[in-house]
Amino acid sequence: MSVEHARREQQPLQQPNKQKQVKVKVHKKKQWISTGEKFLYSIATVAVVASSLFLVQFSSSTDALNRDIRSLEQNISTQEAKNENLAYQVKELSNPDRILQIAKENGLDIQNAQVKQAGTIGN
């Protein structure tokens, strides 16, 4: 017998050599932020940016309206001052003594010594 045959007989019966399957562990690289979190963060970021833009636009339009209001109030106050000045001039020009003096200068004779101030049309 050959030497190899003797060795085989000395060894206990073995099943045919199966190749050992090596299990390879796949280590997934753990992400710092998951995809769901990325989605939520992006939605939150878009909401914050949109609200910031809306706030800036709203405050800008409010500021423009306030400027317009101030301008209109200034125009109103100057017009009220002009109206008061004109009302004073109307009172001054409608003085009965002044009217009598102008009448005498233009040659009108006063027949009655009582001069009454005419009222407005509705009175």
Side-chain angles (χ1 to χ4, degrees):
M1 283 204 211
S2 70
V3 177
E4 284 185 29
H5 189 48
R7 280 188 193 165
R8 283 186 197 165
E9 288 181 9
Q10 288 177 352
Q11 292 179 352
L13 289 176
Q14 294 179 355
Q15 294 179 350
N17 287 340
K18 291 184 180 178
Q19 291 181 346
K20 291 184 179 179
Q21 293 180 352
V22 178
K23 292 184 180 180
V24 178
K25 290 185 180 179
V26 178
H27 294 286
K28 288 187 177 179
K29 190 175 184 180
K30 191 171 183 178
Q31 292 181 345
W32 187 56
I33 299 175
S34 68
T35 356
E37 288 176 332
K38 286 180 185 177
F39 179 72
L40 290 176
Y41 289 146
S42 61
I43 294 279
T45 303
V46 167
V48 166
V49 168
S51 63
S52 298
L53 289 175
F54 175 76
L55 184 65
V56 167
Q57 189 270 338
F58 181 74
S59 63
S60 171
S61 63
T62 304
D63 185 48
L65 284 175
N66 284 338
R67 287 182 192 169
D68 290 343
I69 288 171
R70 276 191 230 125
S71 172
L72 289 174
E73 285 176 348
Q74 189 176 18
N75 290 343
I76 288 171
S77 65
T78 56
Q79 188 62 42
E80 284 177 346
K82 286 180 184 178
N83 288 347
E84 287 175 6
N85 188 18
L86 290 174
Y88 178 74
Q89 286 179 1
V90 165
K91 274 187 179 180
E92 190 176 290
L93 293 175
S94 66
N95 187 1
D97 294 334
R98 181 184 164 274
I99 295 172
L100 287 174
Q101 182 183 3
I102 294 174
K104 285 181 183 178
E105 288 174 2
N106 289 324
L108 295 175
D109 293 331
I110 299 175
Q111 294 176 358
N112 238 343
Q114 294 181 349
V115 177
K116 296 183 180 177
Q117 187 174 358
T120 57
I121 295 174
N123 292 337

